[in-house]
Amino acid sequence: MTKQHWKPGTMVYPLPAVMVSCGNTPENYNIITIAWTGTICSDPAMCYISVRKNRHSHNIIKESGEFVINLTTKDLAYATDWCGVKSGKDFDKFKEMKLTPGKSKEISAPIIEESPLSIECKVTQIIELGSHDMFMAEVVNVQADERYINEKGEFSLAKSGPLVYSHGHYFELGNLVGRFGYSVMKKKTKEKIKKENKKG
């Protein structure tokens, strides 16, 4: 197998294409689309977003110390892209994309009501890395759309048609391949899960 050598670059794909909402008053509410995001700790629950200094949302988040990570779906793909290429200096993105700012439980920044999952975050540290500043944050609350919660109380993001970003393109997630621990799962357990998946 022959492989090519490339110069260093950001090739960890796919990534979630999220809409991050910020601002502590309706007058400065804004949305920025971000793919440089992820989990950095399980307990306490922590995540990060990386934002260029010249982005309108950078100072809003820096000054307020809050933001919301809103997961996106196939139906939100157009709005997700638009909010990533337009500036909040020039547009009210909620109004332009007909998105609904909702109330967060623990912070002032709004959630996006149309998102299947909204993660409320408080900034704990800002790290200057180069092209981007990393906002490390503690998760203080999560809001989940009840349409994707089953009778067992389990949240099924897959049913919402999650959107991911890969090297300049957006994709909807595909078929289920397995679940955590399936490589060492007992045969009876696998059969039970298959039956449950067929029912769902």
Side-chain angles (χ1 to χ4, degrees):
M1 185 181 295
T2 304
K3 295 192 176 185
Q4 296 182 5
H5 293 273
W6 294 351
K7 66 179 182 180
T10 52
M11 297 301 295
V12 182
Y13 293 113
L15 295 162
V18 304
M19 287 193 284
V20 173
S21 47
C22 56
N24 48 22
T25 66
E27 290 74 29
N28 73 341
Y29 283 172
N30 193 43
I31 302 169
I32 178 173
T33 298
I34 284 178
W36 293 176
T37 182
T39 300
I40 52 176
C41 187
S42 298
D43 187 14
M46 294 184 69
C47 56
Y48 81 93
I49 58 171
S50 287
V51 186
R52 289 182 182 272
K53 283 186 174 69
N54 63 353
R55 296 300 297 267
H56 181 61
S57 293
H58 183 282
N59 282 341
I60 296 175
I61 296 170
K62 186 176 181 179
E63 290 173 8
S64 67
E66 303 173 342
F67 60 88
V68 181
I69 296 174
N70 301 274
L71 302 190
T72 59
T73 65
K74 180 182 178 181
D75 292 340
L76 290 170
Y78 183 89
T80 300
D81 184 65
W82 194 92
C83 288
V85 296
K86 297 293 184 178
S87 174
K89 292 179 182 178
D90 306 316
F91 296 95
D92 178 339
K93 296 185 182 182
F94 278 100
K95 182 179 179 181
E96 294 290 334
M97 288 293 100
K98 296 181 172 60
L99 296 172
T100 311
K103 186 173 177 57
S104 290
K105 182 184 177 185
E106 300 294 337
I107 61 176
S108 300
I111 67 165
I112 297 174
E113 290 283 3
E114 290 77 9
S115 169
L117 198 76
S118 299
I119 305 165
E120 300 175 26
C121 303
K122 283 189 177 181
V123 177
T124 59
Q125 188 177 358
I126 303 172
I127 303 175
E128 296 186 13
L129 298 173
S131 62
H132 291 67
D133 284 353
M134 176 190 284
F135 291 85
M136 296 173 63
E138 182 179 356
V139 176
V140 293
N141 189 57
V142 177
Q143 297 194 41
D145 191 327
E146 291 184 345
R147 289 179 296 172
Y148 307 113
I149 300 175
N150 64 23
E151 63 278 0
K152 295 181 181 179
E154 298 169 335
F155 183 76
S156 178
L157 181 63
K159 291 181 179 178
S160 71
L163 194 68
V164 296
Y165 176 84
S166 182
H167 207 58
H169 299 83
Y170 302 100
F171 296 89
E172 181 183 10
L173 283 186
N175 298 324
L176 176 68
V177 175
R179 61 186 291 178
F180 177 74
Y182 85 102
S183 62
V184 294
M185 200 175 286
K186 292 180 180 179
K187 187 176 180 180
K188 286 184 178 180
T189 307
K190 287 183 180 180
E191 290 174 354
K192 183 180 177 182
I193 291 171
K194 281 183 180 179
K195 288 179 181 178
E196 290 177 353
N197 288 336
K198 286 179 180 178
K199 289 179 181 178

